[in-house]
Amino acid sequence: MSGTLAPFHLAALRTALAGADGGALEPVDLAAVVIGPGALDRLGDVLADLGDRPGDVVVLAAATPMTVRGSALADAVGQRVTDRFTLKWVQLGPAGGSVHADEQTVAAAMRAAAGARCVITVGSGTITDIGKAATAAGTPLVTVQTATSVNGYADPFSVLLKAGVKRTTPTRWPDVLIADTDVLLDAPGRLNLAGLGDMAAMFTATADWYLAALIEADGPPYRSAVAGLVRPHGERMLDLGAGLPSDGGQLAELAGLLTLSGIGMGVTGSTAPASGMEHAVSHLLEMAATAASGTSNPANLHGEQVGVASITAAATWAHVRERIAAGGLDQAARLPDPDVVSARISAAFARLDPSGAMAAECLADYAVKIRRLSSGPDPLAMLRSTWADCDAAIGGLLTEPGELAAGLRSAGLPVRFGDLPVPVEDDEARWAVASCALQRRRFGVADLAMLIGAWEADDVGAVLAAAQTAAVAS
């Protein structure tokens, strides 16, 4: 084995989390995390440690060529496996195109993985999500991370397409995560930087989670121990951007932070610690891109869009806090009218799917949120009585839009929707921001804006203008 592995103290982390928040967290069902140069050399031993079972070792991967130290990654995986196990390599998605975690692709992966001794995913966050959805309980799953692009390598969830709608679905933990910095160094720099954009959600999603826990009693409770896994490292994370794609040590550090973020979601039983308004906006843009271009045309990376959307979410929080300071909680909550909401969702998603299936899926999820909000006399009662304390706590979780934009820009990431590699036009950005709360049942800052009457067309325009100003000033 070459090099020195960067330690990831999984046992110590598991012990610390087991005693946090009164022991209410879910267990960490990862058996091992191996991060550092030469981590891939451990693959054969990892498979042996997972037990003796009949069947092939099935590798799920995309058609995209990948390398490690200049050699084909597929060959490197094979060399570390075939002397002890029978290997079956399964290509997902079209040659030269993008892989999508839709029903057909997941079903194909499930058929390929049936009866496997072990499943290995080699590739992107999407490949990993497919593998987690396709690998049966009891079948060992090893994830080989090929870029520091997302935080979804180390959690028990998969972002899957249901009727064309991005849905976070409980699936399973991987048993082992391998992040070889030699592999990460050979990834496109843009992919590695995207992980910084994905992690930028910590500056806004944590506040959304805190808010939702106050508003919705049946949502995931806010856990300060989980928030403390990554949020204190935010400023250091942004500093990693300079030179990140060519620095193995910095890539290992980012891979570790992404892993901590994934574990935080897993032990919470929800993606709320790392996915707020910014992810909802990005999901809508991804759905729009898929509907418009299919699977073959280029699209923006998830993390790139999340980074830009995080600036917008930070601007939304600033807008809402300003309106509340001006008396926004002194009026009755403006609960959406079900008929108006139905018509609005139908109109919002008809542009992506004229059949209405996408709108129906979004309405079914959003209706759960509306029913919860309407079930009591006043959904804003808790905020009205404790806003000063809540505002102080939320303020400690947020970062100003300008500071966030400056950090992302210094890392080499886009900070405006129009600056993305595939530019998002103003009208589409406005649609995604205005409609982000209509996509899912989780409560967030855009829902609060609607309840206090601060999410009309002019409000959305003001938020986008503030985000633009922050981006330009950075």
Side-chain angles (χ1 to χ4, degrees):
M1 182 177 64
S2 63
T4 301
L5 295 178
F8 189 92
H9 300 293
L10 186 59
L13 175 65
R14 184 180 283 113
T15 299
L17 289 175
D21 288 300
L25 298 175
E26 298 292 327
V28 181
D29 281 341
L30 268 165
V33 175
V34 189
I35 300 175
L40 191 64
D41 295 339
R42 288 275 193 90
L43 185 56
D45 291 338
V46 162
L47 296 181
D49 290 343
L50 290 172
D52 188 15
R53 296 167 49 93
D56 298 335
V57 173
V58 175
V59 179
L60 303 178
T64 306
M66 291 175 284
T67 61
V68 53
R69 308 181 199 106
S71 300
L73 181 56
D75 293 340
V77 171
Q79 290 166 7
R80 289 155 176 80
V81 174
T82 53
D83 61 336
R84 288 192 264 181
F85 309 100
T86 303
L87 186 66
K88 177 184 175 184
W89 196 278
V90 178
Q91 177 182 307
L92 300 176
S98 300
V99 181
H100 294 280
D102 53 29
E103 293 96 331
Q104 296 81 8
T105 305
V106 172
M110 194 174 294
R111 290 192 295 270
R117 173 194 183 102
C118 175
V119 175
I120 304 173
T121 60
V122 179
S124 65
T126 299
I127 291 290
T128 304
D129 282 346
I130 293 169
K132 287 188 288 187
T135 304
T139 300
L141 174 63
V142 177
T143 294
V144 176
Q145 182 171 342
T146 54
T148 55
S149 51
V150 294
N151 62 357
Y153 288 97
D155 65 41
F157 303 101
S158 296
V159 179
L160 306 176
L161 284 168
K162 182 179 180 181
V165 179
K166 293 266 187 175
R167 286 287 180 238
T168 299
T169 306
T171 48
R172 57 164 290 168
W173 295 86
D175 291 283
V176 180
L177 170 64
I178 295 176
D180 190 323
T181 50
D182 294 324
V183 176
L184 302 180
L185 283 166
D186 277 7
R190 180 183 164 201
L191 271 175
N192 284 328
L193 281 172
L196 282 173
D198 196 28
M199 288 292 288
M202 75 170 76
F203 298 107
T204 53
T206 315
D208 275 27
W209 180 25
Y210 180 89
L211 171 70
L214 293 172
I215 298 292
E216 299 182 309
D218 58 347
Y222 179 76
R223 306 293 188 189
S224 58
V226 174
L229 288 177
V230 295
R231 183 60 184 87
H233 306 293
E235 286 67 28
R236 168 59 186 160
M237 182 204 71
L238 292 176
D239 288 342
L240 293 175
L244 174 74
S246 60
D247 189 309
Q250 291 180 209
L251 287 170
E253 194 171 348
L254 179 55
L257 285 173
L258 290 165
T259 301
L260 281 175
S261 180
I263 289 173
M265 292 187 287
V267 299
T268 305
S270 169
T271 60
S275 175
M277 173 185 173
E278 72 298 315
H279 271 72
V281 171
S282 181
H283 288 330
L284 288 186
L285 293 176
E286 289 158 15
M287 288 157 53
T290 299
S293 61
T295 61
S296 60
N297 290 343
N300 297 309
L301 298 175
H302 170 76
E304 292 171 333
Q305 290 185 162
V306 168
V308 174
S310 294
I311 299 168
T312 304
T316 303
W317 265 112
H319 177 73
V320 166
R321 294 171 75 195
E322 180 180 328
R323 288 290 292 269
I324 290 177
L329 289 175
D330 296 338
Q331 57 188 337
R334 299 189 183 183
L335 286 166
D337 180 273
D339 293 333
V340 173
V341 166
S342 178
R344 184 179 176 190
I345 290 178
S346 295
F349 294 99
R351 62 198 298 272
L352 307 186
D353 176 21
S355 75
M358 188 178 289
E361 168 63 24
C362 290
L363 178 59
D365 220 49
Y366 185 77
V368 174
K369 178 165 52 181
I370 297 304
R371 286 194 295 270
R372 287 197 305 246
L373 293 173
S374 303
S375 62
D378 181 10
L380 296 177
M382 178 64 74
L383 291 188
R384 296 185 205 280
S385 62
T386 62
W387 177 247
D389 290 338
C390 293
D391 187 51
I394 287 168
L397 297 171
L398 292 168
T399 292
E400 292 297 322
E403 293 179 19
L404 182 52
L408 293 174
R409 184 184 291 280
S410 68
L413 284 160
V415 294
R416 297 182 295 185
F417 290 110
D419 294 337
L420 287 161
V422 181
V424 174
E425 299 296 329
D426 289 347
D427 286 348
E428 184 146 306
R430 179 183 290 270
W431 163 79
V433 172
S435 306
C436 64
L438 305 176
Q439 184 218 352
R440 62 185 185 182
R441 68 183 66 187
R442 185 179 301 158
F443 193 90
V445 64
D447 293 290
L448 177 57
M450 283 192 284
L451 288 180
I452 65 171
W455 205 237
E456 302 299 326
D458 287 348
D459 297 294
V460 175
V463 163
L464 286 167
Q468 175 83 355
T469 298
V472 171
S474 69

